[in-house]
């Protein structure tokens, strides 16, 4: 795939996309999360890029939503789906769904939608989804206690590129390795020439190190899993709750994650915890041990009666001896006991093993002193031993855990991606359930129809309920309506004409997105575009009027495959002129074979002026109840609906007649029924 051929993708963006493992798959499937993981591409732009790639894949010219009102309908519908998502990803992913005139694209989404309708939006699944997010790349990993060593400058460059987490050092010989080993916990020699060399310290010869970076730097895979620990765990919960198939061993993955700390270190190992605590508490434990020895010795001195002969005292003074000599001669046993108490305290406090305890014992010497003081050399040696043991233990645990996780990285990416995609499917399922949706049938769905057969002429809707009405579904009257060719829709004010157009537009947009529609049954042709002209507020000025007429002229010439919905076009100019203009537009659309519904209060006048037998449907008000219209929301075919004024006059005439009859033929007040009868005659 030529990435720069995708709309909105330039050279810089193409380079960023090329860094993905499989950019074609991500673009083809609308995988917004993967696209957004490319450098410099935020999630919103990723959705636009994916949509452009999908259009290119299906040779889709776009432009199905040909007017502002058509685009508003689409955005409102998309918003209803987004309200039913849990993750931000799913809301962005929905942006890759759009109405298309291309059969291949519609069928692609219809297959997705059919599977989505089989999903059960269980509360446990939705709750688990709250923790799922697209996976992120960890920050730069730096390991300072380990290094690579080589004698070759070219090998040096390869190592820096392959394993940037470690320092790479150039040495000349084994002595250089030995010097490095004094500064690093572990040195990894990557030259074959070092095989068989014995050097003091943790020096490993691994000529294959650059081919197996996860073994050398287990922090690399561990950083990925640590950074994404919570989303991965949530995705596991989603798969369990939804019983999704996966190529991950969920139990093994959960076990591995339970052993991983947020900072990428290994958790749950008692020996590593012991060593880490010993290193951290060493100085404090030694200080406490000193206090233990000195407290013990003070108490012994305080309780001991020491007698010194004059000749002994003179001898001590002449030799320049001090309290240490006195302790050695008079309190040797007490000093030994004090030092032993210090040693035992230190060993016990740090939980030292036998080898470590031997070093720890040398921190407090046998030669009597007061106060008792630590020996720096064995203390430093113990610190080095504990630190090295900790690093070795941590390194081995990291390598073992990294080995468990490294091979699952691709499967985990699919695990999280499938959980995020499930949220998209569940949004479709929830929308369909909330609005009583079904999958529409297109003209090509008939068994006896080929691709070359003429499409169905318009649309048929049974039991449709507009999702755009701000009412609960139970309060919305179902609408049945079908149109073939060009039709005028008449009806009383507030009778639902505009809502009917919104319903038709919603059904057509959703059907061409490949998604379920809010109706009991829908059948329609595949349209090239939707032209929905909303009601204009007030008469247009000359320039705007001219622009509108030009737009309809183009539509009449090229809109044979379009659905045209127009709401009270007569408002653009004077009523008399409007009827003539609309009649002419309808004639042109009919000649071109377009499908159109024009809502108008001038249906009678337009029908008289049209040069063909234009169909007129009506949303009929069956009467007034307590001052409110009672309306049959489904348009009646071939019927010019009565206006609201006619209904009111008819009601007044009926009431006046009933009043006269009730009063024995007398006319009460000032409401003669003959006046209302005369007005009614004007509507005939």
């Amino acid at each position: 795939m030529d990435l720069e051929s995708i709309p909105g993708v330039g050279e810089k963006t193409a380079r960023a996309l090329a860094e993905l493992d499989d950019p074609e798959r991500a673009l083809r499937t609308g995988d917004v999360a993967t696209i957004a993981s490319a450098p410099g591409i935020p999630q919103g732009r990723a959705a636009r890029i994916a949509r452009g790639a999908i259009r290119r894949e299906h040779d889709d010219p776009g432009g199905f939503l040909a007017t502002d009102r058509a685009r508003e309908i689409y955005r409102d519908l998309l918003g209803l789906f987004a309200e039913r998502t849990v993750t931000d990803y799913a809301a962005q992913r929905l942006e890759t769904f759009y109405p298309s005139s291309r059969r291949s694209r519609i069928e692609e989404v219809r297959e997705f939608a059919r599977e989505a309708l089989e999903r059960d939006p269980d509360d446990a699944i939705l709750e688990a989804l709250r923790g799922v997010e697209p996976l992120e790349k960890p920050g730069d990993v730096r390991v300072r206690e380990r290094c690579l060593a080589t004698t070759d400058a070219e090998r040096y460059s390869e190592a820096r590129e392959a394993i940037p987490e470690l320092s790479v050092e150039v040495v000349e010989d084994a002595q250089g390795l030995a010097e490095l080993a004094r500064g690093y916990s572990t040195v990894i020699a990557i030259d074959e020439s070092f095989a068989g060399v014995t050097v003091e310290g943790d020096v490993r010869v691994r000529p294959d190190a650059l081919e197996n970076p996860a073994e050398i730097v287990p922090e690399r895979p561990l950083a990925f899993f640590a950074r994404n620990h919570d989303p991965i765990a949530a995705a596991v919960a989603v798969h369990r709750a939804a019983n999704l198939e996966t190529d991950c061993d969920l139990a093994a993955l959960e076990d591995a994650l339970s052993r991983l700390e947020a900072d990428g270190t290994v958790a749950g190992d008692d020996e590593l915890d012991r060593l880490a605590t010993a290193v951290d508490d060493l100085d404090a434990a030694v200080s406490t041990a000193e206090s233990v020895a000195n407290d013990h010795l003070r108490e012994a001195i305080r309780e001991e009666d020491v007698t010194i002969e004059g000749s002994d005292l003179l001898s001590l003074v002449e030799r320049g001896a001090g309290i240490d000599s006195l302790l050695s001669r008079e309190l040797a046993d007490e000093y030994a006991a004090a030092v032993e108490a210090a040693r035992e305290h230190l060993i016990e406090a740090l939980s030292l093993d036998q080898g470590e305890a031997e070093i720890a014992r040398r921190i407090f010497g046998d030669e009597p002193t007061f106060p008792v003081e630590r020996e720096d050399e064995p203390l430093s040696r113990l610190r080095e031993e504990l630190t090295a043991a900790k690093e070795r233990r941590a390194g081995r645990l990291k390598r073992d855990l990294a080995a468990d996780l490294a091979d699952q990285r691709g499967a985990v990416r699919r695990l999280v991606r499938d959980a995020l995609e499930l949220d998209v499917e569940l949004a479709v399922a929830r929308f369909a359930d909330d609005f009583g949706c079904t999958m529409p049938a297109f003209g090509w769905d008939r068994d006896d129809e080929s691709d070359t057969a003429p499409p169905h002429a318009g649309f048929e809707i049974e039991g449709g309920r507009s999702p755009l009405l701000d009412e609960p579904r139970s309060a919305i009257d179902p609408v049945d309506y079908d149109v073939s060719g060009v039709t005028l829709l008449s009806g009383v004010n507030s009778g639902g004409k505009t809502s009917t157009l919104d319903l038709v537009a919603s059904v057509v947009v959703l059907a061409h997105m490949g998604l379920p529609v809010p109706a009991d049954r829908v059948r329609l042709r595949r349209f090239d575009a939707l032209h929905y002209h909303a009601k204009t507020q007030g008469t247009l000025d000359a320039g705007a009027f001219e622009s509108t007429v030009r737009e309809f002229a183009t539509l009449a010439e090229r809109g044979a495959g379009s659905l045209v919905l127009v709401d009270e076009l007569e408002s653009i100019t004077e009523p008399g002129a409007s009827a003539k203009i609309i009649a002419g537009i309808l004639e042109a659309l009919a000649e071109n074979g377009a499908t159109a519904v024009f809502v108008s209060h001038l249906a009678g006048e337009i029908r008289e002026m049209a040069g063909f037998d234009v169909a007129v449907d009506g949303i009929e008000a069956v009467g007034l109840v307590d001052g409110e219209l009672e309306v049959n929301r489904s348009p009646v075919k071939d019927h010019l609906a009565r206006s609201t004024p006619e209904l009111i006059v008819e009601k007044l005439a009926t009431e006046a007649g009933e009043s006269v009859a009730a009063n024995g033929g007398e006319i009460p007040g000032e409401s003669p029924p003959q006046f209302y009868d005369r007005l009614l005659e004007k509507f005939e």
Side-chain angles (χ1 to χ4, degrees):
M1 177 185 290
D2 180 7
L3 298 178
E4 290 189 48
S5 68
I6 298 171
V9 175
E11 182 181 354
K12 182 179 178 180
T13 302
R15 284 199 305 270
L17 292 172
E19 294 186 22
L20 300 174
D21 290 338
D22 190 354
E24 291 192 23
R25 183 209 60 79
L27 292 165
R28 187 174 59 255
T29 61
D31 185 354
V32 175
T34 297
I35 298 171
S37 69
I41 299 181
Q43 198 160 269
R45 183 160 182 243
R48 294 192 295 274
I49 291 172
R51 192 164 54 240
I54 292 168
R55 288 190 193 279
R56 179 183 175 280
E57 179 78 11
H58 295 278
D59 192 26
D60 188 342
F64 184 91
L65 302 168
T67 60
D68 289 342
R69 181 57 184 156
R71 288 184 283 273
E72 287 175 6
I73 293 287
Y74 165 66
R75 296 309 310 179
D76 289 345
L77 291 171
L78 211 57
L80 292 174
F81 282 96
E83 289 173 7
R84 288 159 176 80
T85 61
V86 177
T87 63
D88 292 339
Y89 167 84
Q92 292 290 344
R93 172 76 168 88
L94 285 168
E95 294 284 342
T96 66
F97 293 91
Y98 64 92
S100 172
S101 62
R102 289 294 187 257
R103 174 177 177 175
S104 60
R105 173 56 182 171
I106 297 172
E107 278 298 333
E108 183 177 71
V109 180
R110 280 166 68 86
E111 182 178 350
F112 161 85
R114 290 188 189 99
E115 294 180 3
L117 294 180
E118 298 295 322
R119 299 292 189 190
D120 177 19
D122 182 80
D123 289 343
I125 301 173
L126 299 178
E127 183 60 32
L129 277 168
R130 298 187 189 282
V132 184
E133 299 175 352
L135 299 178
E136 297 183 6
K137 291 182 178 179
D140 293 338
V141 177
R142 293 294 300 172
V143 180
R144 303 190 182 281
E145 72 274 6
R146 212 174 309 139
C147 76
L148 302 175
T150 180
T151 61
D152 184 84
E154 185 175 339
R155 190 77 161 150
Y156 169 86
S157 299
E158 293 176 7
R160 290 196 62 179
E161 183 176 351
I163 308 181
E165 296 89 347
L166 301 185
S167 294
V168 184
E169 306 287 348
V170 177
V171 296
E172 295 183 358
D173 49 28
Q175 184 178 350
L177 283 181
E179 292 176 359
L180 285 179
R182 286 192 285 271
Y184 291 94
S185 297
T186 302
V187 176
I188 300 150
I190 61 175
D191 296 346
E192 189 75 48
S193 59
F194 285 118
V197 172
T198 301
V199 178
E200 184 177 351
D202 188 6
V203 177
R204 305 171 191 174
V205 180
R206 289 290 304 271
D208 64 340
L210 305 189
E211 288 74 45
N212 300 280
E215 295 180 17
I216 305 303
V217 193
E219 291 85 356
R220 179 186 294 181
L222 293 184
F224 168 80
F225 284 94
R227 178 67 182 85
N228 296 290
H229 180 285
D230 291 345
I232 295 171
V236 170
V238 169
H239 278 68
R240 290 195 186 282
N243 197 27
L244 295 180
E245 293 184 3
T246 176
D247 49 0
C248 273
D249 184 336
L250 298 183
L253 179 59
E254 285 179 314
D255 176 68
L257 290 176
S258 71
R259 291 182 278 141
L260 185 63
E261 295 282 13
D263 60 357
T265 57
V266 179
D269 183 77
D270 293 339
E271 176 63 7
L272 180 60
D273 291 342
R274 182 191 72 81
L275 291 167
T277 301
V279 171
D280 293 340
D281 296 350
L282 178 58
D283 288 333
V286 169
S287 295
T288 302
E290 282 180 336
S291 298
V292 167
N294 287 315
D295 290 346
H296 187 95
L297 199 54
R298 282 193 190 93
E299 188 64 26
I301 294 172
R302 189 178 293 114
E303 295 178 358
E304 187 74 23
D305 291 329
V306 179
T307 302
I308 304 177
E309 297 291 339
S311 58
D312 292 336
L313 178 61
L314 181 60
S315 175
L316 289 172
V317 171
E318 289 176 346
R319 294 202 308 268
I323 189 62
D324 293 348
S325 297
L326 182 61
L327 287 173
S328 177
R329 197 188 77 175
E330 300 292 336
L331 299 173
D333 292 341
E334 287 77 2
Y335 180 84
V339 169
E340 185 61 26
R343 291 166 175 169
E344 291 300 324
H345 173 83
L346 181 59
I347 293 168
E348 183 178 348
L350 299 181
S351 300
L352 301 180
D353 65 20
Q354 184 174 353
E356 297 158 354
E358 287 300 319
I359 302 174
R361 287 183 173 279
R362 294 199 293 272
I363 293 175
F364 300 104
D366 295 326
E367 191 68 30
T369 62
F370 186 81
V372 177
E373 295 180 351
R374 71 191 73 179
E375 297 285 344
D376 290 337
E377 189 279 328
L379 175 58
S380 177
R381 172 74 186 280
L382 180 60
R383 192 189 312 278
E384 291 175 0
E385 286 291 327
L386 289 173
T387 301
K390 184 190 77 168
E391 295 298 339
R392 286 194 299 271
R393 182 76 178 181
R396 184 175 67 78
L397 291 172
K398 285 180 181 179
R399 287 191 296 275
D400 291 345
L401 184 55
D404 292 342
L405 288 172
D407 292 340
Q408 296 197 58
R409 189 163 177 167
V412 163
R413 289 189 181 278
R414 291 188 293 274
L415 181 86
V416 174
R417 186 169 66 231
D418 289 348
L420 292 169
E421 285 296 317
L422 177 64
D423 191 21
V424 184
E425 295 181 31
L426 291 180
V428 173
R430 295 169 75 186
F431 177 89
D433 184 60
D434 290 344
F435 295 105
C437 294
T438 187
M439 290 302 294
F442 282 91
W444 66 72
D445 292 340
R446 291 185 300 185
D447 294 337
D448 61 344
E449 187 172 62
S450 67
D451 289 344
T452 58
H456 184 60
F459 60 83
E460 300 171 356
I461 300 173
E462 294 181 11
R465 291 178 173 86
S466 174
L468 304 180
L469 291 173
D470 191 19
E471 298 285 346
R473 176 182 161 194
S474 59
I476 301 174
D477 294 329
V479 172
D480 298 336
Y481 194 34
D482 66 275
V483 168
S484 177
V486 175
T487 301
L488 284 166
L489 179 59
S490 61
V492 296
N493 289 331
S494 302
K497 299 185 298 298
T498 299
S499 296
T500 299
L501 287 190
D502 285 350
L503 169 63
V504 172
S506 298
V507 166
V508 169
V509 168
L510 288 169
H512 286 75
M513 291 174 74
L515 297 174
V517 297
D520 296 335
R521 178 180 173 275
V522 168
R523 173 175 161 75
L524 72 165
R525 66 168 289 181
R526 177 159 45 97
F527 295 106
D528 293 332
L530 170 64
H531 295 260
Y532 186 176
H533 293 267
K535 187 185 304 183
T536 302
Q537 300 298 321
T539 302
L540 299 180
D541 60 31
F545 175 77
E546 179 181 342
S547 175
T548 301
V549 174
R550 286 180 181 274
E551 184 177 349
F552 277 103
T554 302
L555 178 59
E557 180 182 355
R558 304 174 186 172
S562 299
L563 172 63
V564 184
L565 304 177
V566 182
D567 196 0
E568 296 188 20
L569 186 61
E570 60 262 29
S571 62
I572 67 173
T573 187
E574 295 84 356
S578 294
K580 297 174 184 177
I581 291 169
I582 294 172
I585 293 172
L586 293 177
E587 289 173 1
L589 291 175
E591 290 173 1
N592 203 23
T595 303
V597 180
F598 276 58
V599 167
S600 180
H601 288 291
L602 305 177
E605 293 89 334
I606 295 169
R607 182 169 57 181
E608 291 177 2
M609 293 181 180
F612 71 108
D613 188 14
V614 59
V616 178
D617 300 334
I619 295 178
E620 183 70 7
V622 296
L624 288 167
V625 178
D626 297 328
E628 298 291 333
L629 284 172
E630 185 176 350
V631 179
N632 176 12
R633 302 293 179 182
S634 295
V636 179
K637 301 300 294 181
D638 300 320
H639 175 75
L640 180 61
R642 293 180 297 172
S643 65
T644 303
E646 181 181 0
L647 287 171
I648 294 173
V649 172
E650 182 181 64
K651 176 178 178 290
L652 293 172
T654 300
E655 291 175 349
E658 291 173 349
S659 178
V660 170
N663 286 276
E666 295 291 329
I667 301 175
E670 300 179 357
S671 299
Q674 295 86 350
F675 174 77
Y676 300 122
D677 292 339
R678 180 177 298 172
L679 291 181
L680 282 175
E681 291 175 1
K682 301 299 182 182
F683 287 98
E684 296 177 357

